[in-house]
Amino acid sequence: MHNLGHTRSANQRDHLLHTPDTFIRTILPGMKNAAAIVHISPAIGASFSQYTAELEPEGTLGDTTSQRFIYVLEGTATLATGNTSDILKAGSFAYIPTGMTHAVKAQQSTRLAVIEKPYEPLSSSSAPKLLIGDESTITPTALGGDPDLQVRGLLPDVPSFDFAVNTMTYQPGAALSMVEVHIMEHGLLMLEGGGIYRLSDQWYPVTAGDVIWMGPFCPQWFGAIGKLPAKYLIYKNWNRHPL
């Protein structure tokens, strides 16, 4: 049945909600047996790019001139760097610094969340190195002391990293304690459950698979609704002077 032009997707000056009914797939340079759904890019004013990579068995990502973060949504992939090779499965992640030669190949049908951003060096700190981890091994912390809102930091909070990536899990009914307005921008992928997101002066129902971009100083708030926990993967620029 035709949807008569209806969608939950919305594109506003300081935010974007990208829902699966509007996803368009493309092939980025260097991809083989793979496709990308580009959610966020400098074309909307963002300082980074975020896309979902869908890889067939033996499918590969292309190269990038920027630092790259990968989070495995489903499937299994091999990350080859130099003479070493690591297996990434669902919940695994990898940070790959600018200029590092690497190859990502799917062992089966695989979906990846990919974030890429030009690196901003600091004279007082060396650039970060390759990092590979698994979310399940990271001890969560309660945001603001609320045990119903758990945060896992996937990247070290040290000056060498110019962005952060976390997962946040809300128990049903849990919510941020305040409306946040700040200089950081966000890229957010709903992983599980759903809830209501306030973005600027709009209120949006969101669910697993939705992607949100929040520009600097966009008023933002989230509350989980439903019978299951809500969980998302969230990026923010970090550790750099606003100028």
Side-chain angles (χ1 to χ4, degrees), residues 78-216:
T78 301
L79 171 62
T81 54
N83 295 323
T84 64
S85 180
D86 293 273
I87 303 299
L88 305 179
K89 55 184 178 56
S92 296
F93 59 88
Y95 169 83
I96 303 154
T98 302
M100 172 171 278
T101 300
H102 65 282
V104 179
K105 178 181 288 188
Q107 296 187 351
Q108 60 190 94
S109 295
T110 298
R111 291 194 309 122
L112 309 172
V114 184
I115 296 168
E116 297 173 353
K117 176 185 180 294
Y119 182 65
E120 300 176 56
L122 276 182
S123 58
S124 59
S125 178
S126 59
K129 300 182 182 301
L130 174 71
L131 175 67
I132 298 172
D134 192 291
E135 182 193 357
S136 64
T137 67
I138 297 175
T139 302
T141 59
L143 183 65
D146 184 351
D148 289 335
L149 208 175
Q150 298 288 325
V151 181
R152 285 181 168 89
L154 306 187
L155 295 179
D157 184 11
V158 296
S160 59
F161 284 91
D162 64 358
F163 69 88
V165 182
N166 304 324
T167 60
M168 298 181 67
T169 303
Y170 296 70
Q171 294 304 308
L176 293 175
S177 63
M178 59 181 287
V179 176
E180 298 182 2
V181 179
H182 52 61
I183 193 168
M184 289 85 73
E185 63 176 331
H186 288 306
L188 182 153
L189 169 61
M190 290 294 302
L191 297 173
E192 301 171 10
I196 299 295
Y197 230 107
R198 175 182 173 172
L199 301 170
S200 193
D201 58 356
Q202 304 292 317
W203 300 74
Y204 299 99
V206 295
T207 190
D210 292 349
V211 178
I212 296 172
W213 170 69
M214 291 169 260

